[in-house]
Amino acid sequence: MPSTDIESYLDHSHLTAADFTAFEQLLAAQRDRRPYTDSDWHLVLSSTGRGGDGRWESTYALFRPGGAFGNPAPDDEAYVRVYFDENGRALPDQPHRPAPVPPFAAELAEHLPGWTVRPSPLAPGRDLAELRSQAWGWGRLPWNTASAPHTALTLTGPNGERLLAVRTGADAPLLVGAARPDNVPAYNPRAVHLPAPVTFPAGAPPAALAAELTTTLGPRCQQAAWQTRASAATHAVEALRRLSTAYIPAPGDPWGHGEIGSFDSQEDRNRAAWPYTETLIDQGLYLVAGIRSAATIEDHLDPAIGPDLRHLNVSETALDRLREVRDGWRDAAASIIGSHPAADRVRMRAEDLRNAEAWACSSRIADGPLTALAKHVAPKIGFPAPDREEQVKAAIARSANVLGQSTPVPVPVSAPLRPDGRHSTR
């Protein structure tokens, strides 16, 4: 199967009509549970998705060059992914061409300063499957991988919020809902509240639509993305903390146990930790940026939160190092050719080195304030940041009240703030 880190699929432009005929025949044989082999291709797996009402939505299959009796592919991770319609006909990928911008989309963009409005390609197969994967918490979708909607737009806001707008017909209402943000993990429906798609009449003025998106739907999408990222990071941190208590026997001392059991070696423990470390790599920098943006002057002056904010740079530095470790490992893995035993040993050694360095960095994040700060600022995500001068005034007033002072200590509100939340003296 393709690697979970880097998936490589063959380009459909290199395939012939005979190849697609073979794909259809192999899939049909699997559906009918009858034997069928092809000298050029081998069916690895197939998947058919259906909605809650049993209606067909999508079918795809992975094929490997070489066939059941042919020579194996030179690269064991070279596969071709093919989508099929409900009747089992292959849907070859088409070259991406710039989708035309509907007049409505151009007018909507004028009322959304700072946003991008991009039409989505709607070719049957991969394009429509990708469009389906973007819909976040929509429930039943008004299109499938073989039947496209009339129009689809992806709207991206200045704060990372993403929306998907779909119109099934030329005069149909516009359906707008959340679009899955980049690198967002799978979410727990009980912990994340995704906004339901909103339907706008066909003649809704773009200005009214833009106002609804920027004041209601967009902020709700930001909150849902934050909940998802914070939940994933918290789960990863908790798992890393548990792994840190696992028992690893010293040489000559094979007995003992930890809170979560034992590992035969540090390499085994580090290997178990890597998936959680990758979650931190993917989500951590989003959380750091959000915390810095949402934290107020009061937070920096608060003795319960301020020290954590001043130590956030430790987590940020560790996250940057983890990205370097992963990028370096990927470059090294790409240079290892073949699947013979010697190459496999080199890959395993490279992974062990990656895991060892990653463990040291990830433990600093697990022991740091990242997830606690993410929880603290969560209620502020999606709302406009208060005016900086007003933040300073409010913080000084509260400090004066706590100290029992009759008048606040004068501090120039125009003084710039350093990253640790203190005022610069210049």
Side-chain angles (χ1 to χ4, degrees):
M1 287 299 298
S3 165
T4 56
D5 294 299
I6 303 175
E7 292 185 351
S8 177
Y9 296 108
L10 297 179
D11 192 330
H12 282 200
S13 64
H14 296 89
L15 303 175
T16 66
D19 292 323
F20 288 105
T21 299
F23 299 151
E24 293 173 356
Q25 292 172 345
L26 286 165
L27 184 66
Q30 184 193 64
R31 284 180 169 178
D32 298 339
R33 298 185 179 181
R34 56 181 172 81
Y36 179 81
T37 58
D38 184 87
S39 60
D40 295 323
W41 295 98
H42 173 67
L43 174 59
V44 179
L45 65 84
S46 66
S47 175
T48 296
R50 297 185 180 276
D53 56 359
R55 183 176 301 182
W56 176 88
E57 293 179 345
S58 175
T59 297
Y60 78 88
L62 287 182
F63 299 90
R64 177 175 57 81
F69 305 106
N71 295 323
D75 182 353
D76 286 343
E77 295 193 357
Y79 290 76
V80 58
R81 181 194 292 265
V82 182
Y83 287 90
F84 297 82
D85 66 14
E86 190 172 7
N87 298 314
R89 288 188 292 268
L91 302 169
D93 289 351
Q94 299 179 10
H96 281 299
R97 296 183 178 88
V101 180
F104 171 80
E107 189 176 354
L108 179 61
E110 294 179 359
H111 295 278
L112 291 170
W115 288 62
T116 60
V117 180
R118 180 176 57 84
S120 300
L122 299 175
R126 189 186 299 262
D127 285 351
L128 295 181
E130 291 178 353
L131 188 64
R132 291 180 62 84
S133 68
Q134 287 186 48
W136 202 33
W138 282 47
R140 181 177 173 182
L141 299 175
W143 76 91
N144 55 44
T145 52
S147 178
H150 177 272
T151 305
L153 309 171
T154 301
L155 299 86
T156 304
N159 297 309
E161 57 269 58
R162 295 188 67 208
L163 302 171
L164 188 64
V166 175
R167 179 168 281 159
T168 57
D171 299 320
L174 188 70
L175 191 63
V176 185
R180 187 178 299 276
D182 293 334
N183 286 334
V184 75
Y187 69 96
N188 180 351
R190 291 175 296 180
V192 179
H193 304 288
L194 290 172
V198 178
T199 301
F200 296 91
L209 174 58
E212 176 71 15
L213 300 185
T214 54
T215 60
T216 303
L217 197 53
R220 288 179 180 173
C221 289
Q222 283 183 265
Q223 293 163 7
W226 186 265
Q227 291 169 355
T228 306
R229 296 189 193 282
S231 176
T234 299
H235 175 72
V237 163
E238 291 172 351
L240 290 169
R241 288 172 179 169
R242 290 195 299 269
L243 286 171
S244 69
T245 67
Y247 177 77
I248 300 175
D253 178 24
W255 306 105
H257 66 278
E259 291 184 14
I260 64 167
S262 63
F263 290 94
D264 292 336
S265 65
Q266 288 185 346
E267 286 79 7
D268 289 343
R269 188 272 317 278
N270 296 346
R271 190 174 299 116
W274 173 250
Y276 304 110
T277 300
E278 272 214 298
T279 297
L280 293 180
I281 297 173
D282 290 335
Q283 311 305 324
L285 292 178
Y286 288 98
L287 297 179
V288 169
I291 290 167
R292 294 200 189 282
S293 176
T296 64
I297 302 297
E298 281 188 306
D299 291 328
H300 285 279
L301 297 178
D302 186 340
I305 300 298
D308 283 348
L309 286 169
R310 289 189 285 276
H311 285 89
L312 185 59
N313 65 308
V314 176
S315 297
E316 187 175 20
T317 300
L319 287 167
D320 287 336
R321 179 56 189 152
L322 283 174
R323 286 207 303 176
E324 292 176 358
V325 169
R326 183 171 68 175
D327 291 345
W329 165 73
R330 285 179 172 177
D331 290 342
S335 67
I336 304 172
I337 307 300
S339 59
H340 48 84
D344 292 341
R345 286 194 296 270
V346 173
R347 287 193 187 93
M348 183 170 292
R349 178 57 179 161
E351 288 184 1
D352 287 342
L353 292 172
R354 173 203 69 186
N355 297 341
E357 189 160 2
W359 172 260
C361 293
S362 61
S363 61
R364 291 201 294 272
I365 300 171
D367 294 335
L370 180 64
T371 55
L373 288 173
K375 182 179 180 180
H376 174 76
V377 304
K380 305 172 186 178
I381 299 299
F383 295 95
D387 180 81
R388 301 291 283 183
E389 292 189 3
E390 294 301 323
Q391 289 184 43
V392 174
K393 292 178 181 178
I396 294 171
R398 282 182 169 80
S399 298
N401 290 336
V402 170
L403 297 173
Q405 297 174 350
S406 58
T407 57
V409 178
V411 176
V413 296
S414 59
L417 294 177
R418 300 204 308 249
D420 60 3
R422 299 175 180 176
H423 288 281
S424 172
T425 57
R426 62 179 179 84

